Amino acid sequence: MENLTIAASERSPEVNFDVAAGVLQIKGESYPEDASSVFGPIFTALQDYLAQADGNGLKVDFELIYFNSSSAKALMNMFQMLENAKGTDIVVNWQFMADDETMKEFGEDFSEDLSHVTFNLVAVS
Amino acid sequence: MLAKQYRAFKSTLDERGIVFSFSGYLSEGILYSLGDALRQKMALEDTDVTTIKKVFSVFVEQSQNIIRYSADKVQGNLGKTVELSSGMVTIGSENGRFFIVCGNIILEDDMEKLRGRLETLRGMGKDEIKAYYKEQLREPPDEGSRGATIGLIEIARRASDPIEFDFDRIDADRHFFCLKVSI
């Protein structure tokens, strides 16, 4: 499969999925009216990767500053998808600015249901 | 006369502490530009990061609710499909707090459902709203809601006081709906 590279727009994040390295980065802000336009291609790429991971792990790095409620729902779906991929070692790094309570709380909310996925809350200043 | 009229109009807005007010057809592009100016204005006034985030989030959710649900829309094709929704978004400050008010026309048929959702949220405490948000995050969306439930919970979650809302009947089929949130 091919790498997925999407540049940031005014209301959508930058996405980089390096398939060979097994690293997906999602960075910036996400508040399009229709969250599926942003997350649809990411879901498809993740499904393809997980179906043929063959023992390779996956690292997902989030550096999100802000997202709207429909993006939050899409992120929750993404975490459910990762949690169900039992055959793959998955590490999520949820990076947030140390003074940003909102993004920290979202990280805590998302991590609650996860047991198979290793979820790291990473405060940066 | 012209300047006098509009000065009076602007003074009325200023006296109410209004920082921005938009009335008319909203699009995602306008939402972006207004939101950007709003964040810059708050940052210039040394507003703390968490407050800026909360105000911005309520602004986005309220504006997107107007874009999705306003009963006053124009649609057409200008090379691509264009849909514009009419409504009002107002941001201001009073008593040391920010407030965000949105207003738009809704249909009689949608009113009771919306009122029910808002009354449920107004009756909840902070922890209950947070738990309800987490529960709804895990639910498939309601039929036809395009994400309304979670958007309203997000708004209530960021509010410092219980949300205020009201409906003003226009005619047999329509109401003007208003929602005010203080942060």
Side-chain angles (χ1 to χ4, degrees):
Chain A
M1 66 179 281
E2 286 180 18
N3 290 339
L4 177 70
T5 309
I6 304 170
S9 79
E10 285 176 344
R11 301 182 298 279
S12 67
E14 177 187 335
V15 179
N16 282 302
F17 194 174
D18 182 337
V19 173
V23 178
L24 167 63
Q25 290 177 306
I26 303 176
K27 209 171 167 173
E29 300 196 292
S30 179
Y31 56 108
E33 192 208 340
D34 176 16
S36 61
S37 61
V38 169
F39 290 92
I42 305 176
F43 283 11
T44 308
L46 272 177
Q47 270 162 348
D48 290 351
Y49 181 86
L50 294 169
Q52 51 187 259
D54 198 26
N56 292 322
L58 173 68
K59 185 162 83 103
V60 188
D61 291 330
F62 288 97
E63 287 179 49
L64 291 170
I65 298 162
Y66 166 75
F67 48 85
N68 66 351
S69 60
S70 55
S71 298
K73 238 180 138 102
L75 285 166
M76 191 69 225
N77 290 341
M78 187 190 293
F79 287 119
Q80 284 168 340
M81 181 201 285
L82 297 177
E83 179 64 14
N84 290 330
K86 304 283 187 209
T88 308
D89 283 333
I90 299 172
V91 176
V92 171
N93 294 311
W94 183 265
Q95 194 170 304
F96 60 95
M97 299 303 286
D99 59 354
D100 187 351
E101 284 296 319
T102 316
M103 283 300 124
K104 183 183 176 204
E105 206 178 4
F106 270 118
E108 290 166 353
D109 286 358
F110 288 134
S111 68
E112 262 178 29
D113 293 351
L114 306 176
S115 56
H116 158 66
V117 174
T118 304
F119 192 102
N120 301 315
L121 279 166
V122 186
V124 293
S125 48
Chain B
M1 194 61 201
L2 183 69
K4 195 179 174 67
Q5 253 177 14
Y6 277 85
R7 186 179 154 212
F9 181 42
K10 181 154 189 334
S11 298
T12 308
L13 297 177
D14 291 346
E15 280 158 22
R16 287 167 181 255
I18 289 163
V19 180
F20 290 102
S21 187
F22 180 87
S23 173
Y25 289 96
L26 256 178
S27 65
E28 290 282 317
I30 290 171
L31 182 164
Y32 171 78
S33 305
L34 282 177
D36 201 36
L38 174 63
R39 285 198 283 201
Q40 287 174 351
K41 173 79 166 50
M42 287 190 288
L44 287 172
E45 288 169 347
D46 292 328
T47 312
D48 68 274
V49 174
T50 306
T51 303
I52 294 177
K53 286 250 162 143
K54 285 180 178 175
V55 171
F56 183 70
S57 175
V58 170
F59 165 79
V60 170
E61 299 296 337
Q62 287 200 342
S63 303
Q64 289 185 330
N65 278 344
I66 292 172
I67 292 170
R68 288 174 185 139
Y69 303 114
S70 171
D72 181 3
K73 285 189 188 188
V74 288
Q75 281 162 314
N77 196 306
L78 301 171
K80 57 176 184 171
T81 308
V82 173
E83 183 183 90
L84 295 169
S85 305
S86 184
M88 271 186 83
V89 192
T90 297
I91 298 127
S93 58
E94 60 184 1
N95 309 321
R97 278 186 174 170
F98 289 98
F99 67 87
I100 304 122
V101 180
C102 68
N104 61 273
I105 293 171
I106 63 159
L107 298 177
E108 171 75 21
D109 291 350
D110 300 326
M111 185 232 185
E112 282 310 322
K113 198 174 180 184
L114 178 59
R115 186 197 287 280
R117 280 180 174 153
L118 292 166
E119 276 173 359
T120 303
L121 288 168
R122 190 172 56 186
M124 286 180 164
K126 278 272 151 215
D127 292 343
E128 277 175 290
I129 294 173
K130 191 179 167 178
Y132 187 38
Y133 184 97
K134 281 158 74 170
E135 182 193 309
Q136 287 297 317
L137 208 51
R138 289 158 176 83
E139 291 289 315
D142 295 351
E143 204 64 30
S145 91
R146 290 168 83 186
T149 311
I150 197 85
L152 290 177
I153 308 170
E154 168 70 20
I155 289 169
R157 190 177 176 181
R158 303 299 163 214
S160 302
D161 287 330
I163 53 173
E164 289 174 59
F165 57 90
D166 204 6
F167 299 89
D168 187 28
R169 181 178 285 284
I170 300 168
D171 55 31
D173 304 323
R174 299 176 306 156
H175 299 265
F176 189 74
F177 159 64
C178 250
L179 173 62
K180 181 175 180 179
V181 177
S182 294
I183 290 158

